[in-house]
Amino acid sequence: KNMSLKAYRFSISWSRILPNGTADFTGDDDSGVDGINFEGIKFYNDLIDALISAGIEPFVTLYHWDLPQSLQDRYGGWINSSVIQDFADYARICFHYFGDRVKYWITINEGWTVAIHGYEEGSNAPGLMGEDVGGTGKPYTVGHHLLLAHARAVKVFREEGYSQKFDKHGDRSLIGLSNSGDFRFPLDPANPDDIEAATRAMEFQLGWMTDPIWHGEYPASMRERLGSRLPQFSPKDLKELIGSADFLGLNHYSSAIASKPTSPPTYGGYWAEQYVTLSSIPSWKKTFMGWNIAPEGGREMLLWIDKRYNHPLIFVTENGMAAYEPDMEHSLHDFDRVEYLQGYISGFGEAIARGVNLAGYFAWSLMDNFEWQYGSKRRFGLVHVNYTTLVRTPKASAQWYTENIAHNGEAMLVNDHEFEKN
């Protein structure tokens, strides 16, 4: 509230609502409630009510990578198709108890990350290596089930009346999903092979989780290179899937240079299947995660989406950087993050000026948080969190962000005296 935020995006923990992962809830308050943790319901009700009382719009994400352990143990999690209906049943509970106050719903956050980092590279839960690199993970099956789970939840949302449950000034609620999208510039913009490589890389990431919803099929480059390893959609699947998003959430952090490899890859798996060599430009700075900082890529990613999916409604649901913050002094004077935000928000503004239907922006993240396998060693927040005392202290980036919200981003105050580096 002190930062004048107009909206706040948060995720609901599936296991906080359903500790065992499932319940037979049908939408009737008096039946099927066994298995629901009503303390969890109260926690999110209190959060939503507090946001609304502060004049802040809740944007609710149903799944941000925290599958209930019981479902992983019971049937292997996202590898098994049983998860599709279980996710829809969980979504119904959230729609029922929170939908009268939530206008914007996001089903799945970064399905690409779940599939690749969880079931191909083993860096995220459940930590499996892919079958094509000697493990038991099935990333393309997982991606398929994530898409179908999204579609099934949207079916519940629309057909059971939950899209009408939110009724403020005649508005209805909207539902979409958030997908990863890193832009790829061709090494040689005049070389058809490099142009094709750049497009293929983006199709293997954002297109994988987006094309089926807007076009009813996986990207042709994926079908060509993966063959039978990429599952097929049934007519029933497509009926639920096509058009199952009112908006697209874009999580964008970085870009790279793409070119056609000069020799066959010496490794296997997802990255080899793309058949793309990724590189960088020496002048690009890098975040503490080692990711390239290239604001022009944010603009180009939005333009690519706008053209490919026929001018969809878009929200940038994540954009930000981990900075080098070894101590409080570095954290509070995070001018590199100010520069990052200024560059990317300006780039997104240029995309709007060129006709992109971008309706909102969320910096990742408001506060320092648990950064998955990095724990507390990577800080993305605009607000510093002392992990021992939990005291929260706004950084320079939070002050800059607040000022720019007040001006609706028009001024892009970078050189204001409060934010001078010296």
Side-chain angles (χ1 to χ4, degrees):
K1 183 176 180 180
N2 291 339
M3 290 176 64
S4 302
L5 295 179
K6 299 176 182 178
Y8 178 68
R9 178 178 175 235
F10 67 92
S11 60
I12 293 176
S13 171
W14 187 343
S15 55
R16 185 175 240 168
I17 301 299
L18 297 173
N20 293 317
T22 59
D24 294 327
F25 183 72
T26 62
D28 184 339
D29 283 323
D30 298 321
S31 65
V33 297
D34 289 345
I36 298 177
N37 174 27
F38 282 95
E39 290 184 8
I41 298 291
K42 181 180 184 304
F43 175 87
Y44 292 112
N45 270 329
D46 290 346
L47 173 58
I48 292 167
D49 288 344
L51 289 169
I52 292 171
S53 67
I56 298 171
E57 188 84 64
F59 269 66
V60 178
T61 299
L62 292 173
Y63 185 75
H64 196 141
W65 312 350
D66 51 348
L67 183 79
Q69 184 65 43
S70 59
L71 302 187
Q72 187 68 33
D73 295 340
R74 194 179 310 162
Y75 52 63
W78 288 105
I79 286 179
N80 193 299
S81 62
S82 297
V83 75
I84 297 168
Q85 189 59 48
D86 284 345
F87 178 75
D89 292 342
Y90 153 65
R92 178 185 292 108
I93 293 168
C94 295
F95 299 149
H96 179 84
Y97 287 104
F98 312 129
D100 59 326
R101 289 152 294 152
V102 175
K103 182 176 180 179
Y104 298 98
W105 293 92
I106 295 166
T107 54
I108 305 289
N109 181 77
E110 292 189 14
W112 177 87
T113 306
V114 176
I116 295 303
H117 289 268
Y119 293 83
E120 169 72 8
E121 295 181 346
S123 56
N124 285 11
L128 301 180
M129 300 297 291
E131 287 182 326
D132 46 4
V133 288
T136 59
K138 299 180 180 181
Y140 305 112
T141 299
V142 167
H144 198 71
H145 292 162
L146 285 160
L147 281 165
L148 297 181
H150 154 81
R152 189 69 55 81
V154 174
K155 180 181 180 182
V156 169
F157 181 74
R158 291 175 176 170
E159 294 187 0
E160 297 182 17
Y162 293 111
S163 65
Q164 305 299 323
K165 191 175 178 68
F166 178 93
D167 186 15
K168 304 292 189 296
H169 311 295
D171 289 344
R172 69 178 180 90
S173 49
L174 302 177
I175 193 165
L177 75 171
S178 288
N179 285 340
S180 308
D182 298 325
F183 193 73
R184 305 308 187 203
F185 293 94
L187 177 64
D188 180 355
N191 185 331
D193 288 339
D194 289 350
I195 295 172
E196 185 178 327
T199 300
R200 187 166 60 249
M202 291 185 285
E203 289 175 341
F204 263 72
Q205 189 189 42
L206 188 136
W208 177 12
M209 294 292 160
T210 312
D211 273 27
I213 296 171
W214 267 265
H215 299 320
E217 177 58 298
Y218 289 116
S221 62
M222 295 189 73
R223 279 278 176 225
E224 177 184 347
R225 301 195 65 82
L226 295 172
S228 61
R229 285 174 291 170
L230 197 61
Q232 297 284 345
F233 294 111
S234 70
K236 177 178 178 290
D237 294 337
L238 291 176
K239 184 177 180 181
E240 293 184 2
L241 189 60
I242 296 174
S244 61
D246 297 316
F247 63 86
L248 175 62
L250 171 65
N251 292 359
H252 175 83
Y253 290 91
S254 185
S255 296
I257 303 299
S259 59
K260 180 181 178 180
T262 56
S263 60
T266 58
Y267 49 88
Y270 167 84
W271 297 103
E273 294 296 347
Q274 287 188 48
Y275 197 58
V276 177
T277 296
L278 297 178
S279 58
S280 183
I281 293 177
S283 62
W284 282 346
K285 296 179 181 178
K286 295 183 183 296
T287 71
F288 196 44
M289 296 290 287
W291 301 344
N292 297 320
I293 300 175
E296 62 274 25
R299 176 194 65 224
E300 295 303 314
M301 190 76 258
L302 286 178
L303 292 170
W304 192 85
I305 290 170
D306 187 72
K307 181 179 180 180
R308 189 177 183 93
Y309 302 115
N310 193 26
H311 196 56
L313 176 63
I314 305 170
F315 292 91
V316 172
T317 42
E318 291 183 23
N319 173 247
M321 67 170 285
Y324 177 65
E325 301 179 34
D327 52 43
M328 192 69 165
E329 181 70 15
H330 281 81
S331 286
L332 296 186
H333 298 88
D334 61 339
F335 299 109
D336 46 357
R337 183 173 286 113
V338 171
E339 183 178 355
Y340 178 102
L341 293 172
Q342 190 275 337
Y344 275 92
I345 295 173
S346 294
F348 296 142
E350 292 170 8
I352 293 174
R354 291 171 62 175
V356 171
N357 189 14
L358 178 62
Y361 171 91
F362 294 86
W364 185 271
S365 57
L366 175 62
M367 293 176 285
D368 293 329
N369 56 23
F370 181 80
E371 189 52 38
W372 307 107
Q373 68 266 39
Y374 295 96
S376 60
K377 296 180 180 178
R378 295 291 186 275
R379 293 181 180 267
F380 279 81
L382 278 64
V383 175
H384 177 273
V385 176
N386 183 310
Y387 292 125
T388 301
T389 65
L390 300 184
V391 170
R392 302 166 184 176
T393 308
K395 305 175 187 178
S397 58
Q399 300 174 43
W400 176 89
Y401 201 62
T402 301
E403 288 293 323
N404 278 281
I405 289 173
H407 293 82
N408 201 30
E410 292 178 1
M412 276 296 139
L413 303 176
V414 180
N415 296 317
D416 187 278
H417 69 278
E418 291 186 64
F419 310 112
E420 289 285 1
K421 296 183 181 181
N422 297 316

